[in-house]
Amino acid sequence: MINYIVYILHSEKLNRYYIGYTSNFDLRLEFHKNAPPNKYTANAEDWTLFFNLICNTKAQALSIEKHIKNMKSKVYVENLIKYPEISQKLLIKFKSDS
């Protein structure tokens, strides 16, 4: 069974977060570290993993990623670390049937 991961990268240089999802985090992180110039993550070389959440399905991961992006809030992103119960609530709220 493939697990999907919602992840948030942080760049100190940009003081920004990048939110994404993947089924292969190591490969995806390598992509971000060597991103082509036209990609958002190419603007910094110091991306580090800030947060990750293992999801049961691709649909669940996509829904959670979209939810976090739609919040458009650094405070919300930082609260994901500060209050771990938010992660559990997201997994329940966006539970997939499959």
Side-chain angles (χ1 to χ4, degrees):
M1 179 166 124
I2 297 173
N3 282 326
Y4 290 87
I5 299 169
V6 174
Y7 63 91
I8 300 175
L9 303 178
H10 181 257
S11 166
E12 283 286 330
K13 175 184 170 188
L14 300 177
N15 190 25
R16 291 256 167 152
Y17 294 100
Y18 177 86
I19 302 158
Y21 86 96
T22 186
S23 61
N24 185 334
F25 180 74
D26 293 335
L27 187 65
R28 192 72 180 137
L29 183 60
E30 200 57 39
F31 171 83
H32 289 306
K33 287 183 175 182
N34 299 297
N38 64 331
K39 297 294 184 186
Y40 179 81
T41 53
N43 295 321
E45 299 82 36
D46 66 337
W47 294 104
T48 57
L49 181 63
F50 178 78
F51 171 84
N52 71 44
L53 181 62
I54 297 171
C55 299
N56 296 317
T57 65
K58 182 178 181 178
Q60 184 182 42
L62 274 167
S63 296
I64 292 172
E65 176 200 29
K66 183 178 177 184
H67 168 78
I68 295 169
K69 286 180 174 180
N70 285 342
M71 295 304 285
K72 295 184 180 4
S73 168
K74 280 187 177 183
V75 172
Y76 183 80
V77 167
E78 291 163 358
N79 281 343
L80 290 170
I81 294 292
K82 202 185 240 183
Y83 305 105
E85 61 272 17
I86 295 173
S87 297
Q88 294 310 308
K89 289 178 181 177
L90 288 173
L91 289 171
I92 293 166
K93 180 177 181 178
F94 296 104
K95 186 174 184 195
S96 297
D97 295 329
S98 49

